[in-house]
Amino acid sequence: YSLPDLQEFVRASKAAMDVVSQLQGQFLDFTTSLYNEGFLDDQFVQLQKLQDESNPDFVIEVVSLFFEDSEKLLNNLATALQQHIVDYKQVDALVHQFKGSSSSIGAQRVKNACVAFRNYCEEKNVEGCVRCLQLVKHEYNLVKSRLDTLFKLEQQILAAGGSVPMIA
Amino acid sequence: MAAGSSSYSSMVLDEVKTPHVLAVDDSLVDRKLIERLLTKSACKVTTAENGQRALELLGLIDGQHAINNRRLQGPKVHMIITDYCMPGMTGYELLRKIKESSNLKEIPVVIMSSENVPTRIKKCLDEGAKEFMLKPLKQSDVKRLRCHMMQLGQPCNGRLCMGR
């Protein structure tokens, strides 16, 4: 190799490493904000601990199941609350399920919205329930979009040849 | 861990090293989570989505066992972990059915719940549940369970010894 070739190689390597470290910095800032703003809690960290070389897609798999499950629950809740005579036992059972799954993946704000929802079920307050459903749906959409962003950032880091930093 | 092709005596030891756990939960997300938690703790896992299915599997497992391995005593499932709140048969009802069965009553049963209700906990422990765990489960919870399984796995002519 000529000296100019080697100099070009070093320059290109440095540039690639800069891209990776910039992406890693973005990833860390974004992750920190998710915990600080209460979107995610420690249970999400627990999920990441379960991911390893033998199960490299575990987090994204569980979260995908959560998304699928949640869409169904939200539709069923909307239908249940539109009934002429609302079956509050059924509504409560659905919210209980949603609370459970959101808690299992660490979606803290969704879980808390479900807790409030169950209080209105107990009171058999249809307007309260409808408002709560809107709130739960809103929180769900917020966390979904943030998790999609998080997974995208991870993909970008890996594509640039870097590794995804782990939050201890 | 290789299975199947070993001799009879190491087959007993293999069973002890890789406990087989039946996990029952109506939530798809939670089944995925508990399965991963258990396999990471070197357990073999079978999942069931409700109590009825769980009892079917236990009957099948026990039935196969009785046919194929007459010399091995005791069930091939080393622990059952079940959610409390399930439609149809609750985890408590499943626990009762297991404890009422002469074939299955020796299998340790652990109940999980997202709700911390002292009367519920007492009811389950009184009925013979080994432990009551709060969801969401983490690795440290499951590691603790492994100790129960290993205790019971002491080879006593293959029979599972139950002490509480």
Side-chain angles (χ1 to χ4, degrees), chain B residues 5 23 45-46 49 58 69-71 79 87 107 109 128 132 136 141-142 145 147 154:
Chain B
S5 52
V45 188
T46 302
E49 59 186 5
L58 288 164
N69 298 290
R70 256 178 299 157
R71 288 179 66 195
M79 174 168 280
I107 309 175
V109 181
F132 188 100
D141 297 323
V142 174
L145 288 181
C147 298
Q154 296 315 311

Short mmCIF file of all heavy atoms in Angstrom, two decimals, chain B residues 5 23 45-46 49 58 69-71 79 87 107 109 128 132 136 141-142 145 147 154:
data_model
loop_
_atom_site.label_atom_id
_atom_site.label_comp_id
_atom_site.label_asym_id
_atom_site.label_seq_id
_atom_site.Cartn_x
_atom_site.Cartn_y
_atom_site.Cartn_z
N SER B 5 -30.22 -39.97 23.95
CA SER B 5 -29.36 -41.11 23.58
C SER B 5 -28.52 -41.63 24.74
O SER B 5 -27.70 -42.49 24.59
CB SER B 5 -28.44 -40.70 22.43
OG SER B 5 -27.76 -39.52 22.78
N ALA B 23 -45.75 -23.95 32.26
CA ALA B 23 -46.14 -22.56 32.57
C ALA B 23 -47.51 -22.29 31.96
O ALA B 23 -47.73 -22.53 30.77
CB ALA B 23 -45.11 -21.59 32.01
N VAL B 45 -39.23 -25.92 28.97
CA VAL B 45 -40.53 -25.28 29.23
C VAL B 45 -41.60 -25.76 28.28
O VAL B 45 -41.37 -25.86 27.07
CB VAL B 45 -40.43 -23.75 29.08
CG1 VAL B 45 -41.72 -23.07 29.55
CG2 VAL B 45 -39.25 -23.20 29.85
N THR B 46 -42.77 -26.04 28.83
CA THR B 46 -43.97 -26.23 28.03
C THR B 46 -44.96 -25.17 28.49
O THR B 46 -45.09 -24.94 29.69
CB THR B 46 -44.57 -27.64 28.25
OG1 THR B 46 -43.59 -28.60 27.91
CG2 THR B 46 -45.81 -27.85 27.39
N GLU B 49 -52.18 -22.20 27.56
CA GLU B 49 -52.88 -20.93 27.64
C GLU B 49 -54.06 -20.93 28.61
O GLU B 49 -54.66 -19.87 28.84
CB GLU B 49 -53.34 -20.49 26.26
CG GLU B 49 -54.27 -21.48 25.61
CD GLU B 49 -54.61 -21.09 24.18
OE1 GLU B 49 -54.04 -20.11 23.68
OE2 GLU B 49 -55.46 -21.78 23.59
N LEU B 58 -50.79 -32.46 31.28
CA LEU B 58 -50.31 -33.23 32.44
C LEU B 58 -50.76 -34.67 32.35
O LEU B 58 -50.03 -35.58 32.71
CB LEU B 58 -50.81 -32.59 33.75
CG LEU B 58 -50.14 -31.27 34.12
CD1 LEU B 58 -50.94 -30.53 35.18
CD2 LEU B 58 -48.72 -31.51 34.61
N ASN B 69 -41.94 -45.55 30.58
CA ASN B 69 -40.91 -45.67 31.62
C ASN B 69 -41.50 -46.20 32.92
O ASN B 69 -41.60 -45.49 33.90
CB ASN B 69 -40.30 -44.30 31.90
CG ASN B 69 -39.61 -43.74 30.67
OD1 ASN B 69 -38.58 -44.25 30.27
ND2 ASN B 69 -40.17 -42.70 30.09
N ARG B 70 -41.85 -47.47 32.88
CA ARG B 70 -42.52 -48.02 34.08
C ARG B 70 -41.62 -48.01 35.30
O ARG B 70 -42.08 -47.96 36.42
CB ARG B 70 -43.03 -49.41 33.79
CG ARG B 70 -44.55 -49.42 33.59
CD ARG B 70 -45.08 -50.77 33.27
NE ARG B 70 -44.52 -51.30 32.03
CZ ARG B 70 -44.46 -52.60 31.75
NH1 ARG B 70 -44.90 -53.49 32.60
NH2 ARG B 70 -43.94 -53.01 30.61
N ARG B 71 -40.30 -48.01 35.08
CA ARG B 71 -39.41 -48.07 36.25
C ARG B 71 -39.22 -46.71 36.89
O ARG B 71 -38.93 -46.60 38.05
CB ARG B 71 -38.06 -48.65 35.86
CG ARG B 71 -38.15 -50.15 35.60
CD ARG B 71 -36.82 -50.71 35.20
NE ARG B 71 -35.87 -50.63 36.29
CZ ARG B 71 -34.55 -50.80 36.14
NH1 ARG B 71 -34.05 -51.01 34.96
NH2 ARG B 71 -33.74 -50.74 37.17
N MET B 79 -42.20 -28.83 37.91
CA MET B 79 -42.85 -27.68 38.53
C MET B 79 -43.94 -27.14 37.61
O MET B 79 -43.81 -27.22 36.39
CB MET B 79 -41.82 -26.58 38.81
CG MET B 79 -42.45 -25.29 39.32
SD MET B 79 -41.26 -24.12 39.98
CE MET B 79 -40.97 -24.80 41.58
N PRO B 87 -59.41 -16.61 32.54
CA PRO B 87 -60.82 -16.89 32.29
C PRO B 87 -61.05 -18.40 32.31
O PRO B 87 -60.15 -19.18 32.04
CB PRO B 87 -61.05 -16.32 30.88
CG PRO B 87 -59.72 -16.25 30.26
CD PRO B 87 -58.71 -16.11 31.35
N ILE B 107 -46.31 -32.58 42.47
CA ILE B 107 -45.63 -31.56 41.66
C ILE B 107 -45.77 -30.20 42.35
O ILE B 107 -46.89 -29.78 42.65
CB ILE B 107 -46.23 -31.46 40.25
CG1 ILE B 107 -46.30 -32.83 39.57
CG2 ILE B 107 -45.39 -30.50 39.41
CD1 ILE B 107 -46.98 -32.79 38.21
N VAL B 109 -46.35 -26.42 42.84
CA VAL B 109 -47.10 -25.43 42.06
C VAL B 109 -46.79 -24.04 42.58
O VAL B 109 -46.83 -23.80 43.79
CB VAL B 109 -48.62 -25.68 42.14
CG1 VAL B 109 -49.38 -24.66 41.30
CG2 VAL B 109 -48.97 -27.10 41.69
N GLY B 128 -51.77 -25.44 49.18
CA GLY B 128 -50.57 -26.22 48.88
C GLY B 128 -49.65 -25.63 47.84
O GLY B 128 -48.72 -26.29 47.39
N PHE B 132 -46.02 -17.86 46.07
CA PHE B 132 -46.88 -16.92 45.37
C PHE B 132 -45.98 -15.78 44.91
O PHE B 132 -45.31 -15.17 45.73
CB PHE B 132 -47.96 -16.41 46.33
CG PHE B 132 -49.03 -15.58 45.67
CD1 PHE B 132 -50.26 -16.15 45.34
CD2 PHE B 132 -48.80 -14.25 45.36
CE1 PHE B 132 -51.25 -15.39 44.72
CE2 PHE B 132 -49.79 -13.50 44.74
CZ PHE B 132 -51.02 -14.06 44.43
N PRO B 136 -44.67 -8.15 37.39
CA PRO B 136 -43.99 -8.96 36.39
C PRO B 136 -42.78 -9.68 36.96
O PRO B 136 -42.08 -9.12 37.81
CB PRO B 136 -43.56 -7.93 35.34
CG PRO B 136 -43.44 -6.65 36.07
CD PRO B 136 -44.40 -6.71 37.22
N ASP B 141 -36.37 -13.69 40.39
CA ASP B 141 -37.50 -14.48 40.88
C ASP B 141 -37.37 -15.93 40.43
O ASP B 141 -37.57 -16.86 41.18
CB ASP B 141 -38.83 -13.93 40.34
CG ASP B 141 -39.11 -12.52 40.82
OD1 ASP B 141 -38.79 -12.22 41.98
OD2 ASP B 141 -39.65 -11.73 40.03
N VAL B 142 -37.06 -16.10 39.15
CA VAL B 142 -37.01 -17.43 38.56
C VAL B 142 -35.81 -18.22 39.10
O VAL B 142 -35.90 -19.42 39.31
CB VAL B 142 -37.00 -17.34 37.02
CG1 VAL B 142 -36.79 -18.70 36.39
CG2 VAL B 142 -38.29 -16.73 36.54
N LEU B 145 -36.73 -19.91 42.18
CA LEU B 145 -37.57 -21.08 41.97
C LEU B 145 -36.75 -22.32 41.69
O LEU B 145 -37.11 -23.42 42.06
CB LEU B 145 -38.53 -20.87 40.79
CG LEU B 145 -39.68 -19.91 41.00
CD1 LEU B 145 -40.51 -19.85 39.74
CD2 LEU B 145 -40.53 -20.35 42.18
N CYS B 147 -34.15 -23.33 42.98
CA CYS B 147 -33.76 -24.01 44.22
C CYS B 147 -34.82 -25.01 44.65
O CYS B 147 -34.51 -26.12 45.05
CB CYS B 147 -33.55 -22.99 45.35
SG CYS B 147 -32.23 -21.85 45.00
N GLN B 154 -33.61 -34.45 44.09
CA GLN B 154 -32.66 -35.41 44.66
C GLN B 154 -33.09 -36.82 44.28
O GLN B 154 -34.21 -37.21 44.56
CB GLN B 154 -32.63 -35.29 46.20
CG GLN B 154 -32.15 -33.96 46.73
CD GLN B 154 -30.90 -33.46 46.03
OE1 GLN B 154 -29.94 -34.19 45.87
NE2 GLN B 154 -30.94 -32.22 45.57
#
